[in-house]
Amino acid sequence: LASVPLSDKRAGDIGLFLIDGNPQHLAIFSDFEGTLGMIHCYAQARGVVEHRLDAEWESKLIKVYRWQP
């Protein structure tokens, strides 16, 4: 994986999020209804969910990675 600037994220990239002060949550970015979304396991939903990357999740994003051949 190669590190990518946060501002360059796109569908297919992997995001690392800071939760409770620790980098501990991963998501795959997606094309969700024409905007950038995220697919991740979400404890409150008790499963895997997909939704828009909103301001709350964006504020927790600390790293973006991209698959490199």
Side-chain angles (χ1 to χ4, degrees):
L1 296 174
S3 187
V4 176
L6 298 181
S7 60
D8 290 346
K9 64 192 167 298
R10 63 181 186 209
D13 290 344
I14 298 170
L16 175 62
F17 297 84
L18 192 68
I19 306 292
D20 295 329
N22 294 301
Q24 61 175 317
H25 193 79
L26 296 172
I28 300 170
F29 294 115
S30 65
D31 180 7
F32 182 75
E33 299 177 350
T35 188
L36 193 61
M38 56 189 282
I39 300 168
H40 63 119
C41 189
Y42 190 49
Q44 292 177 340
R46 299 235 182 251
V48 176
V49 297
E50 181 179 18
H51 56 81
R52 183 177 58 83
L53 178 65
D54 61 21
E56 180 181 353
W57 281 103
E58 184 87 42
S59 71
K60 298 174 183 181
L61 182 63
I62 58 170
K63 286 292 237 180
V64 175
Y65 298 96
R66 186 167 295 151
W67 296 105
Q68 297 292 318

